[in-house]
Amino acid sequence: MTSSVDRHVDRHGETARWEAPDVLVLDRARLDLSDASWMAPARSVRARATRSPHGLYAALPRLERLHLLDGSAPDLDDLAGCRNLRGLTVQGVRRLTDVSAVAGLVSLEMLALYGLKDLQVVPSLARLTLLSWVDLGRLPGLDGIEGVLAAPHLTDLTFVRAVGVAPGDAGRIAASGVRRFEWFAEDVPDRVWVPFREAVGLPRSVPTTVDDWFAARDEPSPSAASGRPRHQA
């Protein structure tokens, strides 16, 4: 596997390295569908400013977490068919205006959208029945979060810095199944975020990342790790 990756790096002058046997890091890579063969072991991919053809990520049978960082793209159609994807981060992608492909990622459990200044609409996430945590940050052009709140089992919602909200969004959060909410406002005026936070009125969520969230969620309990049932009082 390593030699295959090395040849790929030499040919394209890009960076591709295995951080762990199933964790792949790409930097400014230019990929084609034939790359699916050496990428197949990847359970987690972190791709910075990387170009990939339609269908490549869907062809990775073990892919569960994907981080798309920087670069430029008008949409996320390259993610179509990623039915096993559990965690997705999209950050700093220029010109991105269409994230409708997210609505079809039916195994998604955690979603982070950050630094997408051209994004105005998040589609209805009603089909994402496993989605429980959404992190939104630096989305000043967003016209509201009604589509996010359509996720039927969403429990944690976090805002970071400027996030566009619509009238009534605070009440929608309060009336939804969300259990924890926080707005890490930083440069947002108090007159904007403080009354919004008070109107939501939920316990505070804590900051996390996709990787940290899954590490905590997937780590077996001590009793499970030892193979012994937990004592019942």
Side-chain angles (χ1 to χ4, degrees), residues 141-158:
L142 208 61
D143 65 4
I145 59 167
E146 190 169 358
V148 173
L149 295 175
H153 299 124
L154 184 65
T155 60
D156 290 83
L157 178 62
T158 301

Side-chain angles (χ1 to χ4, degrees), residues 52-55 73-82 96 98-102:
S52 60
H54 182 79
D75 56 50
L76 297 178
D77 290 356
D78 290 350
L79 303 186
C82 293
L96 183 61
D98 180 1
V99 297
S100 58
V102 172

Side-chain angles (χ1 to χ4, degrees), residues 94-118:
R94 299 184 304 278
R95 297 192 302 110
L96 183 61
T97 59
D98 180 1
V99 297
S100 58
V102 172
L105 303 177
V106 294
S107 295
L108 208 61
E109 299 173 37
M110 184 175 182
L111 171 66
L113 302 175
Y114 194 83
L116 309 173
K117 66 177 184 179
D118 296 318

Side-chain angles (χ1 to χ4, degrees), residues 19-75:
E19 213 169 62
D22 59 357
V23 178
L24 177 62
V25 178
L26 303 167
D27 192 354
R28 298 181 299 276
R30 301 295 178 263
L31 305 173
D32 55 48
L33 288 175
S34 67
D35 290 307
S37 58
W38 63 265
M39 294 174 64
R43 190 180 300 274
S44 175
V45 173
R46 180 178 295 271
R48 182 180 300 279
T50 291
R51 295 180 184 175
S52 60
H54 182 79
L56 175 64
Y57 292 123
L60 305 182
R62 303 182 66 207
L63 184 62
E64 293 185 351
R65 288 177 237 168
L66 180 61
H67 306 266
L68 300 176
L69 311 174
D70 302 336
S72 177
D75 56 50

Side-chain angles (χ1 to χ4, degrees), residues 114 136-139 159-163 183-188:
Y114 194 83
L136 304 175
R138 292 183 60 198
L139 304 176
F159 291 173
V160 179
R161 303 183 72 170
V163 175
W183 194 335
F184 300 97
E186 298 187 27
D187 54 357
V188 179

